[in-house]
Amino acid sequence: MILTADSGSTKCHWALAEKGETVTEQSIKLVQSRGINPATCSREQMIEIITEELLPNIDAEAVESVYFYGAGCIANAPATLGLKDVLASIFPNAKEVLVATDMLGAAHALCGHDKGIVCILGTGSNSAQYDGEKMTKNVPPLGYILGDEGGGTNIGRTFVSDALKGVMNKEIVDMFYAECNTSYPEIIENVYRKPNANRYLASFVPFVAAHRDIPEVRKCIDTAFNNFIERNLLQYPGVESTEINFVGSVAFVFEKELTEALERHSLKLGKIMRSPITGMVNYHTLA
């Protein structure tokens, strides 16, 4: 059996499948655990999460290969090697254990062995050029303060900034306060005085999506995607002739707006997936 994982810092999806098996979004059986980010999790925490939240749901002895893709899994970093050791000790019959970045996982899910541009648009954003085997170039995402253009935090921040600055019509701002049950003081408190401001700002994306037909709101979406394209995608050589593929909830929800943004820059859309785990599993089971 092949065990594949797609992990962020908050949650991790695990999937167990047979060699040669093709899975779909409907047939795939997932186990969810807390996220494992080797850059922030101790060895003890990794072991605790796997033994308490994964192992009760699978047969560890049946696992012959482990492929773990996640945030914080920097190639050859001590923390990444530490996670690999943990997985190897918990799954002693696994002949292969791979721990790699979520970008490589997205590339395997979206492109398989074909070349392309791979992008993640979720709470944050990232992108890379993929030659069918490895990443050949990555424009640094830089996080939500310096970068992450096109991600949920960026869209939420752009919208909230326009709303609080008075750029938007008062009726839109009043509707925003009412539907999101918030206020100017509460927003300032959450952004500047509480942790996880990035997640807080991204929490307003559903409101933006629900009211995307309002020109002022649509402008926030277009601004975020245009910045993502101009500050990231256009830096990749040959991008005009390469398919650009996306994974993540923001790309999935705003597919129409994203497609139109790419067309404005004469770029070609490839695939869009909400979650990469199904593609990751098939990449390894059908290899």
Side-chain angles (χ1 to χ4, degrees):
M1 299 288 283
I2 296 173
L3 180 65
T4 307
D6 171 34
S7 183
S9 297
T10 305
K11 61 185 177 182
C12 178
H13 287 126
W14 306 81
L16 196 62
E18 294 276 4
K19 184 73 174 177
E21 178 183 357
T22 300
V23 299
T24 65
E25 289 187 5
Q26 292 72 35
S27 69
I28 193 170
K29 296 178 181 178
L30 299 177
V31 176
Q32 183 173 309
S33 73
R34 283 173 287 165
I36 298 177
N37 183 329
T40 58
C41 282
S42 67
R43 181 181 180 89
E44 291 72 23
Q45 288 173 318
M46 296 176 192
I47 294 172
E48 176 187 322
I49 292 170
I50 295 171
T51 55
E52 293 184 2
E53 301 179 29
L54 174 64
L55 294 190
N57 299 287
I58 67 170
D59 179 4
E61 294 186 357
V63 175
E64 300 170 330
S65 303
V66 180
Y67 302 102
F68 186 102
Y69 299 101
C73 297
I74 301 169
N76 300 316
T80 303
L81 297 176
L83 174 56
K84 183 176 181 179
D85 288 341
V86 166
L87 291 168
S89 66
I90 293 176
F91 302 103
N93 295 330
K95 299 178 178 63
E96 181 178 10
V97 176
L98 171 72
V99 178
T101 175
D102 52 357
M103 280 305 306
L104 183 61
H108 286 169
L110 290 163
C111 298
H113 296 286
D114 297 325
K115 68 178 182 179
I117 304 292
V118 181
C119 309
I120 298 175
L121 288 183
T123 301
S125 69
N126 201 353
S127 64
Q129 193 161 36
Y130 176 68
D131 68 0
E133 294 184 7
K134 63 184 182 300
M135 302 298 174
T136 56
K137 183 174 181 178
N138 170 241
V139 177
L142 298 182
Y144 79 98
I145 294 177
L146 297 178
D148 274 357
E149 300 87 357
T153 298
N154 184 241
I155 292 173
R157 181 180 61 194
T158 302
F159 170 79
V160 169
S161 176
D162 282 2
L164 299 190
K165 286 277 189 181
V167 174
M168 292 195 173
N169 187 295
K170 185 177 182 299
E171 291 180 359
I172 301 172
V173 179
D174 290 343
M175 181 169 59
F176 165 55
Y177 286 156
E179 291 188 17
C180 295
N181 191 28
T182 190
S183 64
Y184 181 103
E186 184 174 310
I187 292 171
I188 297 302
E189 175 75 16
N190 279 276
V191 170
Y192 291 105
R193 297 188 179 93
K194 291 186 179 181
N196 301 317
N198 59 328
R199 295 180 192 173
Y200 175 75
L201 290 168
S203 72
F204 297 122
V205 168
F207 177 88
V208 173
H211 300 285
R212 66 182 83 181
D213 57 326
I214 299 174
E216 293 97 325
V217 177
R218 172 62 189 262
K219 182 181 177 182
C220 295
I221 302 168
D222 290 341
T223 296
F225 288 156
N226 285 336
N227 284 339
F228 176 76
I229 292 168
E230 291 167 6
R231 292 170 59 81
N232 297 275
L233 297 185
L234 296 185
Q235 295 197 53
Y236 295 111
V239 65
E240 296 85 359
S241 59
T242 306
E243 283 198 345
I244 303 170
N245 306 277
F246 294 85
V247 67
S249 57
V250 168
F252 186 83
V253 169
F254 294 107
E255 179 176 356
K256 178 177 180 292
E257 292 79 7
L258 180 58
T259 301
E260 292 175 358
L262 292 170
E263 289 174 349
R264 285 195 295 272
H265 291 82
S266 301
L267 300 180
K268 183 180 180 182
L269 175 67
K271 298 176 184 176
I272 293 181
M273 293 181 178
R274 186 172 199 131
S275 169
I277 185 66
T278 301
M280 290 174 177
V281 172
N282 287 329
Y283 176 85
H284 292 291
T285 59
L286 302 179

